[in-house]
Amino acid sequence: MFGQLLKILAGILMLIGAGVFSYNYFGQTVGPREVTKVQEVPAVVVKKETTKSTTTAQVSQKKVVAKAPVASPTKTNGSLILKTPVVEKNVVAPGPLRVLVQAPTTSALSILGVINRDAQMKVDDMFAKQYFEHVSPIGVGPADLAKAVGYAYVIVGENLALGDFGSDQGVVTAWMNSPGHRANILNVHYQEIGAAVGKGIYEGNETWIAVQSFGMPLSACPAIDYVLKSQIDANNIKIANLRTELDVKKALIDATPVSEYDYNMYVSEYNVMVPEYNALVGNNRILVANYNAGVQAFNSCINAAGAH
């Protein structure tokens, strides 16, 4: 009897154990399970704006252009470099030639032109101030006389003779026998000549003074285009102003976040100005090259005339 009761209790315990196992199994495989908590990622609502997307793309593209290097202008005298005309005005004046023996007088030489007036002024001045030199007692020389008669020159020269040489040929022969005077007469750079002879009182005696004035006019050298120079100067001012504006706009671009709407506006304005600036700089370089070529030709002419 007691043995049967133990068997019944054992059976009941087995059934209970089986039920617990079954619950745990199904609870782990079928029922809800606790999971490790993962940090929640907030949802992002993307606002579909076609215009905004296009603008963003443009920002990315323009940003590259904005950072492209901008050509800097070459400075002239402190902007584009201009050569300076060098007008080397030369005066060639060998020592005055004086005849020691008086001879019969002859007629004066006469050559028309502005440089001829120069020679006549020299004759009159020497008699008036009683001197026989290329430079007067008050410091007036051949260059000053040329300026006084309005003769624009590259080089000027002067031959003087005092006394009566017997004839025109006698004066010329005397000059040709003098190395300095001969060099003046044969100078291939002279293109114009003036001559004057006057009779008057010098050192208490009546005598003749002869003057030869030689010159190479400034017009003999290639003209410098000063209109072109004015255009270059005006362009340099405009280039400087544009560069200042570009620097201001570039500073705004650098200081503005790409995400801001104004960034695109600054980039657009900057990129519109860059081609204008570069075109002006390039054009001015050509003008400067042309101007400098003219100045170089002019200076070469001046230097060649001075190398006598």
Side-chain angles (χ1 to χ4, degrees):
M1 184 71 177
F2 182 77
Q4 290 180 348
L5 180 58
L6 289 175
K7 290 181 180 180
I8 292 171
L9 289 174
I12 293 172
L13 290 175
M14 290 178 64
L15 289 174
I16 292 172
V20 172
F21 174 81
S22 177
Y23 174 82
N24 288 335
Y25 175 80
F26 284 100
Q28 293 177 8
T29 56
V30 180
R33 290 181 297 166
E34 184 177 356
V35 296
T36 304
K37 188 174 182 179
V38 180
Q39 185 177 0
E40 184 177 358
V41 179
V44 179
V45 179
V46 180
K47 187 176 182 180
K48 295 183 179 179
E49 293 181 0
T50 306
T51 304
K52 191 68 175 182
S53 299
T54 304
T55 303
T56 303
Q58 292 175 346
V59 168
S60 177
Q61 184 178 1
K62 289 183 177 179
K63 183 178 180 182
V64 176
V65 178
K67 292 185 179 294
V70 181
S72 300
T74 303
K75 293 184 177 180
T76 303
N77 296 334
S79 174
L80 293 167
I81 301 175
L82 301 177
K83 293 189 177 182
T84 304
V86 180
V87 182
E88 296 181 356
K89 295 184 176 181
N90 294 283
V91 178
V92 182
L97 188 65
R98 183 191 294 243
V99 67
L100 299 179
V101 180
Q102 296 292 325
T105 62
T106 64
S107 60
L109 298 172
S110 176
I111 299 176
L112 300 179
V114 64
I115 197 170
N116 194 58
R117 294 198 298 273
D118 177 291
Q120 187 61 56
M121 285 180 64
K122 182 66 176 180
V123 170
D124 296 342
D125 195 56
M126 285 191 291
F127 276 124
K129 294 184 175 64
Q130 290 294 290
Y131 72 95
F132 185 61
E133 300 291 344
H134 291 293
V135 180
S136 76
I138 61 173
V140 176
D144 303 299
L145 291 175
K147 183 178 180 181
V149 298
Y151 184 69
Y153 67 91
V154 175
I155 54 173
V156 290
E158 187 177 80
N159 282 346
L160 305 179
L162 173 67
D164 195 333
F165 289 84
S167 66
D168 297 345
Q169 183 61 47
V171 177
V172 173
T173 298
W175 275 331
M176 290 297 289
N177 289 335
S178 169
H181 298 85
R182 177 186 176 88
N184 248 0
I185 294 172
L186 299 181
N187 190 329
V188 296
H189 297 293
Y190 291 135
Q191 297 182 6
E192 297 174 344
I193 183 173
V197 174
K199 188 177 184 181
I201 302 299
Y202 178 72
E203 294 182 340
N205 298 314
E206 188 177 59
T207 188
W208 292 90
I209 291 180
V211 175
Q212 276 183 326
S213 294
F214 306 94
M216 175 182 177
L218 193 61
S219 59
C221 288
I224 296 174
D225 193 343
Y226 288 104
V227 174
L228 182 59
K229 173 65 164 54
S230 297
Q231 185 178 353
I232 290 170
D233 292 340
N235 285 348
N236 280 335
I237 293 173
K238 189 173 182 180
I239 286 170
N241 292 336
L242 280 173
R243 184 54 192 257
T244 299
E245 291 183 48
L246 281 168
D247 289 343
V248 170
K249 293 186 182 300
K250 184 63 167 57
L252 285 173
I253 292 171
D254 293 340
T256 304
V258 178
S259 58
E260 289 191 14
Y261 177 76
D262 287 344
Y263 179 88
N264 283 335
M265 180 180 66
Y266 296 147
V267 170
S268 178
E269 291 173 352
Y270 180 89
N271 288 339
V272 167
M273 291 179 62
V274 167
E276 178 186 358
Y277 172 86
N278 289 337
L280 186 58
V281 169
N283 180 61
N284 219 36
R285 283 201 182 102
I286 296 173
L287 298 182
V288 168
N290 292 337
Y291 176 80
N292 285 345
V295 171
Q296 185 174 358
F298 176 83
N299 288 343
S300 295
C301 178
I302 297 293
N303 293 334
H308 57 272

